[in-house]
Amino acid sequence: MPHTIRVWDLPTRLFHWSLATITVALVVTAKLGGNAMEWHLRLGYAMLALLAFRLVWGLVGGRWSRFASFACTPARLRRYLRGEGDGAVDSVGHTPLGALAVCTMLAALLLQVASGLTSDDEIAFAGPLARFVSGDTVGLASWYHKEVGQYLLYVLVALHLLAILFYALIRKRALIGPMLHGDKRLPMPAPSSRDDARSLVGAAAVLAACGALAWWLSNL
């Protein structure tokens, strides 16, 4: 008998779709340039707040949103790729391969935001952290942000979309649905993620703190 499990709590789902929306908006504003760069800067701070939120939520959020639930060790990844993984656990939250993709994407986004905060185009924009580091560091950050980081993110997003298609068409596992409504139907019982009013209040408090951090940085 199938079991319906709440895997992705509402804060995690809202984070996911907000991150996707802001990522697209950042690309658009960067390509438009000109006055759109003001929005690019604001969206960059919003991205920073979201990423900070996810790092904290990965410690205190719903069970399957916590980093501890999908820690991707090399040994676990090897077992999964050989078909020797723990199918019961791997089918609930992120698989080891999915966990690696999530961690890589978060790291790439954090590096892109950090390089943006430390960049200086020597025309109209200087990140708030640029004056605290050396000129060589500013130059490296500016180069990475414009010439490397954005293209790395394009590759990671493309791989993410291909993985969704692969799981939908080949593995017959829908990944988008659970990230919309939060639930998965599994052949075996598993603990559900906490997703109640108290969880939402906690998530709102964490997001407010992360937003305050981004605002503080913007005013340096």
Side-chain angles (χ1 to χ4, degrees), residues 2-26:
H3 298 265
T4 300
I5 306 299
R6 174 54 52 94
V7 176
W8 306 123
D9 54 49
L10 182 58
T12 298
R13 287 160 18 226
L14 291 176
F15 161 81
H16 180 275
W17 296 113
S18 298
L19 189 75
T21 301
I22 290 177
T23 298
V24 172
L26 280 166

Side-chain angles (χ1 to χ4, degrees), residues 189-205:
S192 290
S193 286
R194 181 173 184 172
D195 194 16
D196 53 16
R198 184 177 176 182
S199 177
L200 290 177
V201 170

Side-chain angles (χ1 to χ4, degrees), residues 9-95:
D9 54 49
L10 182 58
T12 298
R13 287 160 18 226
L14 291 176
F15 161 81
H16 180 275
W17 296 113
S18 298
L19 189 75
T21 301
I22 290 177
T23 298
V24 172
L26 280 166
V27 171
V28 171
T29 52
K31 295 305 180 185
L32 289 175
N35 293 333
M37 290 304 295
E38 289 295 327
W39 278 104
H40 186 79
L41 179 61
R42 296 187 187 105
L43 289 166
Y45 290 123
M47 175 68 79
L48 173 62
L50 275 179
L51 292 172
F53 167 83
R54 186 63 183 93
L55 292 178
V56 177
W57 201 242
L59 301 176
V60 302
R63 179 187 183 94
W64 300 105
S65 297
R66 296 187 183 189
F67 298 128
S69 74
F70 59 89
C72 184
T73 64
R76 187 182 175 206
L77 181 59
R78 283 196 301 270
R79 288 195 300 270
Y80 177 77
L81 294 175
R82 293 171 181 169
E84 302 169 354
D86 186 342
V89 174
D90 293 341
S91 63
V92 183
H94 291 301
T95 66

